[in-house]
Short mmCIF file of all heavy atoms in Angstrom, two decimals:
data_model
loop_
_atom_site.label_atom_id
_atom_site.label_comp_id
_atom_site.label_asym_id
_atom_site.label_seq_id
_atom_site.Cartn_x
_atom_site.Cartn_y
_atom_site.Cartn_z
N SER H 1 0.80 -1.23 0.00
CA SER H 1 0.00 0.00 0.00
C SER H 1 0.83 1.28 0.00
O SER H 1 0.35 2.33 -0.42
CB SER H 1 -0.92 0.01 1.22
OG SER H 1 -0.16 -0.09 2.42
N SER H 2 2.07 1.24 0.46
CA SER H 2 2.87 2.46 0.54
C SER H 2 3.26 2.95 -0.85
O SER H 2 3.32 2.18 -1.80
CB SER H 2 4.13 2.23 1.37
OG SER H 2 5.04 1.39 0.66
N LEU H 3 3.52 4.25 -0.96
CA LEU H 3 3.95 4.81 -2.25
C LEU H 3 5.28 4.19 -2.69
O LEU H 3 5.51 3.97 -3.88
CB LEU H 3 4.09 6.33 -2.15
CG LEU H 3 2.79 7.12 -1.91
CD1 LEU H 3 3.08 8.62 -1.87
CD2 LEU H 3 1.75 6.81 -2.97
N LYS H 4 6.13 3.91 -1.72
CA LYS H 4 7.42 3.30 -2.01
C LYS H 4 7.21 1.92 -2.66
O LYS H 4 7.83 1.58 -3.68
CB LYS H 4 8.22 3.17 -0.71
CG LYS H 4 9.70 2.95 -0.89
CD LYS H 4 10.38 2.72 0.45
CE LYS H 4 10.84 3.99 1.08
NZ LYS H 4 11.72 3.75 2.27
N ALA H 5 6.31 1.13 -2.07
CA ALA H 5 6.04 -0.20 -2.60
C ALA H 5 5.36 -0.13 -3.97
O ALA H 5 5.65 -0.93 -4.86
CB ALA H 5 5.16 -0.98 -1.62
N GLN H 6 4.45 0.82 -4.14
CA GLN H 6 3.75 0.95 -5.42
C GLN H 6 4.70 1.33 -6.55
O GLN H 6 4.60 0.82 -7.67
CB GLN H 6 2.63 1.98 -5.31
CG GLN H 6 1.47 1.54 -4.43
CD GLN H 6 0.39 2.60 -4.35
OE1 GLN H 6 -0.20 3.00 -5.36
NE2 GLN H 6 0.12 3.09 -3.15
N LEU H 7 5.64 2.22 -6.25
CA LEU H 7 6.60 2.63 -7.28
C LEU H 7 7.55 1.48 -7.59
O LEU H 7 7.91 1.26 -8.76
CB LEU H 7 7.38 3.86 -6.82
CG LEU H 7 8.30 4.50 -7.86
CD1 LEU H 7 7.52 4.90 -9.11
CD2 LEU H 7 9.01 5.71 -7.28
N MET H 8 7.97 0.74 -6.59
CA MET H 8 8.81 -0.44 -6.81
C MET H 8 8.12 -1.44 -7.73
O MET H 8 8.72 -1.94 -8.69
CB MET H 8 9.15 -1.11 -5.48
CG MET H 8 9.89 -2.44 -5.63
SD MET H 8 9.85 -3.48 -4.14
CE MET H 8 8.13 -4.02 -4.17
N SER H 9 6.85 -1.73 -7.46
CA SER H 9 6.12 -2.72 -8.25
C SER H 9 5.94 -2.26 -9.69
O SER H 9 6.01 -3.07 -10.61
CB SER H 9 4.77 -3.01 -7.60
OG SER H 9 4.95 -3.61 -6.33
N ARG H 10 5.70 -0.97 -9.87
CA ARG H 10 5.58 -0.45 -11.24
C ARG H 10 6.90 -0.63 -11.98
O ARG H 10 6.91 -1.03 -13.15
CB ARG H 10 5.17 1.02 -11.19
CG ARG H 10 5.12 1.70 -12.57
CD ARG H 10 4.51 3.09 -12.46
NE ARG H 10 4.70 3.87 -13.68
CZ ARG H 10 4.23 5.10 -13.87
NH1 ARG H 10 3.51 5.67 -12.91
NH2 ARG H 10 4.46 5.75 -14.99
N TYR H 11 8.00 -0.37 -11.30
CA TYR H 11 9.32 -0.51 -11.91
C TYR H 11 9.58 -1.98 -12.28
O TYR H 11 10.04 -2.29 -13.39
CB TYR H 11 10.38 -0.02 -10.92
CG TYR H 11 11.80 -0.08 -11.42
CD1 TYR H 11 12.28 0.85 -12.34
CD2 TYR H 11 12.68 -1.06 -10.96
CE1 TYR H 11 13.59 0.80 -12.79
CE2 TYR H 11 13.99 -1.11 -11.41
CZ TYR H 11 14.44 -0.18 -12.32
OH TYR H 11 15.74 -0.23 -12.77
N ILE H 12 9.27 -2.89 -11.36
CA ILE H 12 9.49 -4.31 -11.61
C ILE H 12 8.59 -4.79 -12.75
O ILE H 12 9.04 -5.52 -13.65
CB ILE H 12 9.23 -5.12 -10.32
CG1 ILE H 12 10.32 -4.82 -9.29
CG2 ILE H 12 9.17 -6.62 -10.62
CD1 ILE H 12 10.07 -5.43 -7.93
N TYR H 13 7.33 -4.38 -12.74
CA TYR H 13 6.40 -4.81 -13.79
C TYR H 13 6.89 -4.39 -15.17
O TYR H 13 6.84 -5.17 -16.13
CB TYR H 13 5.00 -4.23 -13.53
CG TYR H 13 4.09 -4.33 -14.73
CD1 TYR H 13 3.58 -5.54 -15.15
CD2 TYR H 13 3.78 -3.18 -15.49
CE1 TYR H 13 2.76 -5.64 -16.27
CE2 TYR H 13 2.96 -3.26 -16.60
CZ TYR H 13 2.46 -4.49 -16.98
OH TYR H 13 1.66 -4.57 -18.11
N GLU H 14 7.39 -3.17 -15.30
CA GLU H 14 7.80 -2.68 -16.61
C GLU H 14 9.07 -3.37 -17.11
O GLU H 14 9.42 -3.23 -18.28
CB GLU H 14 7.97 -1.16 -16.56
CG GLU H 14 6.63 -0.45 -16.39
CD GLU H 14 6.71 1.06 -16.55
OE1 GLU H 14 7.73 1.56 -17.07
OE2 GLU H 14 5.75 1.75 -16.14
N HIS H 15 9.72 -4.13 -16.23
CA HIS H 15 10.87 -4.93 -16.65
C HIS H 15 10.51 -6.39 -16.87
O HIS H 15 11.15 -7.08 -17.69
CB HIS H 15 12.00 -4.84 -15.62
CG HIS H 15 12.75 -3.55 -15.66
ND1 HIS H 15 12.34 -2.43 -14.96
CD2 HIS H 15 13.87 -3.18 -16.32
CE1 HIS H 15 13.19 -1.43 -15.19
NE2 HIS H 15 14.12 -1.86 -16.01
N LEU H 16 9.50 -6.90 -16.16
CA LEU H 16 9.22 -8.33 -16.18
C LEU H 16 7.97 -8.71 -16.96
O LEU H 16 7.65 -9.89 -17.06
CB LEU H 16 9.07 -8.87 -14.75
CG LEU H 16 10.28 -8.73 -13.82
CD1 LEU H 16 10.04 -9.53 -12.55
CD2 LEU H 16 11.56 -9.18 -14.50
N PHE H 17 7.27 -7.74 -17.55
CA PHE H 17 6.01 -8.06 -18.23
C PHE H 17 6.21 -9.06 -19.36
O PHE H 17 5.28 -9.78 -19.74
CB PHE H 17 5.36 -6.78 -18.76
CG PHE H 17 6.03 -6.23 -20.00
CD1 PHE H 17 5.53 -6.49 -21.25
CD2 PHE H 17 7.17 -5.44 -19.89
CE1 PHE H 17 6.15 -5.98 -22.39
CE2 PHE H 17 7.79 -4.92 -21.01
CZ PHE H 17 7.28 -5.21 -22.26
N ILE H 18 7.40 -9.14 -19.91
CA ILE H 18 7.67 -10.04 -21.03
C ILE H 18 8.20 -11.38 -20.58
O ILE H 18 8.37 -12.30 -21.38
CB ILE H 18 8.67 -9.37 -22.00
CG1 ILE H 18 8.61 -10.02 -23.37
CG2 ILE H 18 10.10 -9.42 -21.43
CD1 ILE H 18 9.43 -9.31 -24.42
N GLY H 19 8.46 -11.56 -19.28
CA GLY H 19 9.08 -12.77 -18.77
C GLY H 19 8.08 -13.88 -18.46
O GLY H 19 6.90 -13.63 -18.22
N ASN H 20 8.58 -15.11 -18.45
CA ASN H 20 7.82 -16.26 -17.98
C ASN H 20 8.32 -16.58 -16.57
O ASN H 20 9.42 -17.09 -16.38
CB ASN H 20 8.03 -17.47 -18.90
CG ASN H 20 7.33 -17.30 -20.24
OD1 ASN H 20 6.43 -16.47 -20.37
ND2 ASN H 20 7.73 -18.07 -21.22
N LEU H 21 7.52 -16.25 -15.58
CA LEU H 21 7.93 -16.35 -14.18
C LEU H 21 7.62 -17.73 -13.63
O LEU H 21 6.60 -18.34 -13.95
CB LEU H 21 7.19 -15.28 -13.36
CG LEU H 21 7.15 -13.87 -13.98
CD1 LEU H 21 6.34 -12.93 -13.09
CD2 LEU H 21 8.55 -13.33 -14.19
N TYR H 22 8.53 -18.23 -12.77
CA TYR H 22 8.31 -19.55 -12.17
C TYR H 22 8.86 -19.56 -10.75
O TYR H 22 9.58 -18.64 -10.32
CB TYR H 22 8.96 -20.65 -13.02
CG TYR H 22 10.47 -20.61 -13.05
CD1 TYR H 22 11.23 -21.46 -12.25
CD2 TYR H 22 11.16 -19.73 -13.88
CE1 TYR H 22 12.62 -21.43 -12.27
CE2 TYR H 22 12.54 -19.68 -13.91
CZ TYR H 22 13.26 -20.53 -13.11
OH TYR H 22 14.63 -20.48 -13.13
N PHE H 23 8.53 -20.61 -10.00
CA PHE H 23 8.87 -20.69 -8.58
C PHE H 23 9.81 -21.88 -8.34
O PHE H 23 9.34 -23.02 -8.14
CB PHE H 23 7.59 -20.84 -7.73
CG PHE H 23 6.53 -19.84 -8.09
CD1 PHE H 23 5.29 -20.27 -8.56
CD2 PHE H 23 6.75 -18.48 -7.97
CE1 PHE H 23 4.29 -19.37 -8.89
CE2 PHE H 23 5.76 -17.56 -8.30
CZ PHE H 23 4.54 -18.01 -8.76
N PRO H 24 11.11 -21.67 -8.32
CA PRO H 24 12.05 -22.79 -8.20
C PRO H 24 12.05 -23.46 -6.84
O PRO H 24 12.56 -24.58 -6.71
CB PRO H 24 13.41 -22.12 -8.48
CG PRO H 24 13.21 -20.69 -8.10
CD PRO H 24 11.80 -20.37 -8.45
N GLU H 25 11.49 -22.82 -5.82
CA GLU H 25 11.51 -23.40 -4.47
C GLU H 25 10.43 -24.46 -4.26
O GLU H 25 10.48 -25.19 -3.27
CB GLU H 25 11.36 -22.29 -3.43
CG GLU H 25 12.54 -21.34 -3.39
CD GLU H 25 12.32 -20.17 -2.43
OE1 GLU H 25 11.16 -19.76 -2.25
OE2 GLU H 25 13.32 -19.69 -1.88
N LEU H 26 9.47 -24.54 -5.16
CA LEU H 26 8.43 -25.55 -5.00
C LEU H 26 9.00 -26.93 -5.32
O LEU H 26 9.75 -27.10 -6.28
CB LEU H 26 7.25 -25.25 -5.92
CG LEU H 26 6.46 -23.97 -5.60
CD1 LEU H 26 5.30 -23.82 -6.57
CD2 LEU H 26 5.97 -23.97 -4.17
N HIS H 27 8.63 -27.90 -4.52
CA HIS H 27 9.15 -29.26 -4.73
C HIS H 27 8.62 -29.85 -6.04
O HIS H 27 9.35 -30.52 -6.76
CB HIS H 27 8.76 -30.15 -3.55
CG HIS H 27 9.37 -29.73 -2.25
ND1 HIS H 27 10.75 -29.69 -2.06
CD2 HIS H 27 8.83 -29.30 -1.09
CE1 HIS H 27 11.01 -29.27 -0.83
NE2 HIS H 27 9.86 -29.02 -0.22
N SER H 28 7.36 -29.61 -6.32
CA SER H 28 6.81 -30.04 -7.60
C SER H 28 6.97 -28.90 -8.60
O SER H 28 6.89 -27.73 -8.24
CB SER H 28 5.33 -30.40 -7.47
OG SER H 28 4.60 -29.28 -6.99
N ASN H 29 7.24 -29.23 -9.83
CA ASN H 29 7.45 -28.19 -10.84
C ASN H 29 6.17 -27.37 -11.02
O ASN H 29 5.10 -27.91 -11.30
CB ASN H 29 7.84 -28.83 -12.18
CG ASN H 29 9.20 -29.46 -12.13
OD1 ASN H 29 10.05 -29.03 -11.36
ND2 ASN H 29 9.42 -30.48 -12.93
N SER H 30 6.31 -26.06 -10.85
CA SER H 30 5.16 -25.19 -11.07
C SER H 30 5.08 -24.81 -12.54
O SER H 30 6.03 -24.98 -13.30
CB SER H 30 5.30 -23.92 -10.22
OG SER H 30 6.30 -23.07 -10.75
N GLY H 31 3.94 -24.29 -12.92
CA GLY H 31 3.82 -23.77 -14.27
C GLY H 31 4.45 -22.40 -14.36
O GLY H 31 4.99 -21.86 -13.38
N TYR H 32 4.42 -21.81 -15.54
CA TYR H 32 4.94 -20.46 -15.73
C TYR H 32 3.80 -19.45 -15.58
O TYR H 32 2.63 -19.76 -15.81
CB TYR H 32 5.56 -20.32 -17.12
CG TYR H 32 6.88 -21.05 -17.25
CD1 TYR H 32 6.96 -22.28 -17.87
CD2 TYR H 32 8.05 -20.48 -16.74
CE1 TYR H 32 8.18 -22.95 -17.99
CE2 TYR H 32 9.27 -21.13 -16.86
CZ TYR H 32 9.33 -22.36 -17.48
OH TYR H 32 10.53 -23.02 -17.59
N TYR H 33 4.19 -18.24 -15.21
CA TYR H 33 3.22 -17.17 -14.97
C TYR H 33 3.67 -15.90 -15.67
O TYR H 33 4.87 -15.72 -15.95
CB TYR H 33 3.07 -16.89 -13.46
CG TYR H 33 2.31 -17.95 -12.71
CD1 TYR H 33 2.91 -19.16 -12.39
CD2 TYR H 33 0.98 -17.76 -12.35
CE1 TYR H 33 2.21 -20.16 -11.72
CE2 TYR H 33 0.27 -18.74 -11.67
CZ TYR H 33 0.89 -19.93 -11.36
OH TYR H 33 0.19 -20.91 -10.69
N ARG H 34 2.71 -15.02 -15.93
CA ARG H 34 2.98 -13.69 -16.45
C ARG H 34 2.56 -12.67 -15.40
O ARG H 34 1.54 -12.84 -14.74
CB ARG H 34 2.21 -13.43 -17.74
CG ARG H 34 2.54 -14.35 -18.89
CD ARG H 34 1.57 -14.13 -20.03
NE ARG H 34 1.55 -12.74 -20.46
CZ ARG H 34 0.44 -12.01 -20.57
NH1 ARG H 34 -0.73 -12.53 -20.27
NH2 ARG H 34 0.50 -10.76 -20.99
N MET H 35 3.33 -11.60 -15.28
CA MET H 35 2.93 -10.50 -14.41
C MET H 35 2.09 -9.53 -15.23
O MET H 35 2.54 -9.03 -16.26
CB MET H 35 4.16 -9.79 -13.84
CG MET H 35 3.84 -8.77 -12.76
SD MET H 35 5.35 -8.09 -12.02
CE MET H 35 4.64 -6.98 -10.79
N VAL H 36 0.85 -9.32 -14.80
CA VAL H 36 -0.08 -8.48 -15.55
C VAL H 36 -0.72 -7.46 -14.62
O VAL H 36 -0.63 -7.57 -13.39
CB VAL H 36 -1.19 -9.34 -16.22
CG1 VAL H 36 -0.59 -10.34 -17.18
CG2 VAL H 36 -2.05 -10.04 -15.17
N ARG H 37 -1.37 -6.48 -15.21
CA ARG H 37 -2.19 -5.54 -14.45
C ARG H 37 -3.65 -5.93 -14.61
O ARG H 37 -4.10 -6.24 -15.71
CB ARG H 37 -1.95 -4.10 -14.93
CG ARG H 37 -0.52 -3.63 -14.71
CD ARG H 37 -0.32 -2.18 -15.09
NE ARG H 37 -0.50 -1.93 -16.51
CZ ARG H 37 -0.25 -0.77 -17.10
NH1 ARG H 37 0.21 0.25 -16.38
NH2 ARG H 37 -0.44 -0.60 -18.39
N SER H 38 -4.38 -5.91 -13.50
CA SER H 38 -5.76 -6.37 -13.51
C SER H 38 -6.65 -5.41 -12.74
O SER H 38 -6.21 -4.76 -11.79
CB SER H 38 -5.84 -7.76 -12.87
OG SER H 38 -7.19 -8.16 -12.66
N HIS H 39 -7.89 -5.31 -13.16
CA HIS H 39 -8.87 -4.50 -12.42
C HIS H 39 -9.29 -5.20 -11.12
O HIS H 39 -9.82 -4.55 -10.22
CB HIS H 39 -10.12 -4.25 -13.27
CG HIS H 39 -9.91 -3.27 -14.39
ND1 HIS H 39 -9.41 -2.00 -14.18
CD2 HIS H 39 -10.14 -3.38 -15.72
CE1 HIS H 39 -9.34 -1.36 -15.33
NE2 HIS H 39 -9.76 -2.16 -16.28
N THR H 40 -9.04 -6.50 -11.06
CA THR H 40 -9.50 -7.28 -9.90
C THR H 40 -8.35 -7.57 -8.94
O THR H 40 -7.22 -7.81 -9.36
CB THR H 40 -10.13 -8.59 -10.37
OG1 THR H 40 -9.22 -9.23 -11.28
CG2 THR H 40 -11.44 -8.33 -11.08
N PRO H 41 -8.64 -7.60 -7.63
CA PRO H 41 -7.60 -7.84 -6.63
C PRO H 41 -7.27 -9.32 -6.49
O PRO H 41 -7.99 -10.18 -7.02
CB PRO H 41 -8.24 -7.30 -5.35
CG PRO H 41 -9.70 -7.54 -5.55
CD PRO H 41 -9.95 -7.31 -7.02
N PRO H 42 -6.19 -9.65 -5.77
CA PRO H 42 -5.88 -11.05 -5.48
C PRO H 42 -7.08 -11.75 -4.85
O PRO H 42 -7.80 -11.17 -4.04
CB PRO H 42 -4.71 -10.95 -4.50
CG PRO H 42 -4.04 -9.66 -4.86
CD PRO H 42 -5.15 -8.73 -5.24
N GLY H 43 -7.29 -12.98 -5.27
CA GLY H 43 -8.45 -13.72 -4.77
C GLY H 43 -9.60 -13.75 -5.73
O GLY H 43 -10.55 -14.51 -5.53
N GLN H 44 -9.54 -12.92 -6.77
CA GLN H 44 -10.58 -12.91 -7.79
C GLN H 44 -9.96 -13.25 -9.14
O GLN H 44 -8.74 -13.14 -9.33
CB GLN H 44 -11.26 -11.55 -7.87
CG GLN H 44 -12.00 -11.14 -6.61
CD GLN H 44 -12.70 -9.80 -6.75
OE1 GLN H 44 -12.98 -9.34 -7.87
NE2 GLN H 44 -12.98 -9.15 -5.64
N ALA H 45 -10.80 -13.67 -10.09
CA ALA H 45 -10.30 -13.98 -11.43
C ALA H 45 -9.67 -12.73 -12.04
O ALA H 45 -10.16 -11.62 -11.87
CB ALA H 45 -11.45 -14.46 -12.31
N VAL H 46 -8.56 -12.93 -12.74
CA VAL H 46 -7.86 -11.81 -13.37
C VAL H 46 -8.73 -11.17 -14.45
O VAL H 46 -9.28 -11.86 -15.31
CB VAL H 46 -6.53 -12.28 -13.98
CG1 VAL H 46 -5.89 -11.16 -14.82
CG2 VAL H 46 -5.56 -12.71 -12.88
#
């Protein structure tokens, strides 16, 4: 919620929007993800 955090996330998004993100710490192989902007908050369909 802080302005500092919001600006950080905007910066990260503008660098990673083209990437296929994954979670190497999961024991089972996870799928790939994209970082997107959505009108809906976490917990709802994108």
Side-chain angles (χ1 to χ4, degrees):
S1 58
S2 70
L3 294 182
K4 198 185 271 190
Q6 290 180 60
L7 187 57
M8 173 197 72
S9 295
R10 175 172 168 178
Y11 181 76
I12 291 173
Y13 165 72
E14 291 189 15
H15 284 86
L16 299 190
F17 75 97
I18 199 173
N20 288 342
L21 315 177
Y22 67 100
F23 311 119
E25 293 175 329
L26 294 182
H27 296 299
S28 58
N29 292 332
S30 73
Y32 287 101
Y33 287 77
R34 298 171 56 233
M35 189 175 181
V36 300
R37 296 184 295 187
S38 171
H39 287 306
T40 50
Q44 297 182 22
V46 171

